[in-house]
């Protein structure tokens, strides 16, 4: 019959051994996972910047297309050309509207 070792004695012997073996292993796993998380964060940030740049390029293309389309139109609206200039080629200025009691006090 083999000698019976109480479980608490087994724990007293195995615990320090496991601590010596597992501590570097767990530390390596944590270090690797933090490194991977930082790389993923960096990649996501770069992808976001690329998407932002692409969106800015598309917006610039749309605006350029609208400007080009506006310059090719030759009809005028309310005596002003579609290019944003008046009938004499002068730039348009926005009209300021006053409403309510502020218009009556301007006298």
């Amino acid at each position: 019959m083999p000698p019976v070792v109480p479980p608490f004695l087994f724990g007293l012997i195995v615990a320090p051994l496991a601590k010596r073996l597992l501590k570097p292993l767990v530390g390596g796993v944590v270090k690797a996972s933090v490194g991977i998380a930082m790389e993923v964060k960096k990649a996501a940030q770069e992808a976001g910047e690329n998407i932002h740049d692409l969106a800015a390029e598309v917006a610039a293309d749309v605006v350029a297309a609208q400007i080009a389309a506006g310059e090719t139109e030759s009809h005028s609206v309310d005596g002003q050309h579609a290019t944003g200039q008046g009938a004499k080629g002068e730039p348009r200025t926005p009209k300021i509207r006053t409403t309510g009691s502020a218009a009556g006090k301007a006298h």
Side-chain angles (χ1 to χ4, degrees), residues 1 3-5 11 16 18 20 23 45-46 52 68 70 76-77 86 102 104 106:
M1 175 171 234
V4 177
V5 178
R20 286 186 188 171
K23 186 173 181 178
Q45 183 178 9
E46 289 176 1
H52 181 72
S76 60
V77 178

Side-chain angles (χ1 to χ4, degrees), residues 43-92:
Q45 183 178 9
E46 289 176 1
E49 289 175 0
N50 289 339
I51 290 173
H52 181 72
D53 291 344
L54 182 61
E57 289 176 15
V58 169
D61 289 345
V62 168
V63 169
Q66 288 176 347
I67 290 173
E71 289 176 356
T72 59
E73 292 180 4
S74 62
H75 70 285
S76 60
V77 178
D78 293 333
Q80 296 178 346
H81 295 287
T83 59
Q85 295 181 347
K88 296 179 183 177
E90 300 170 353
R92 285 192 306 188

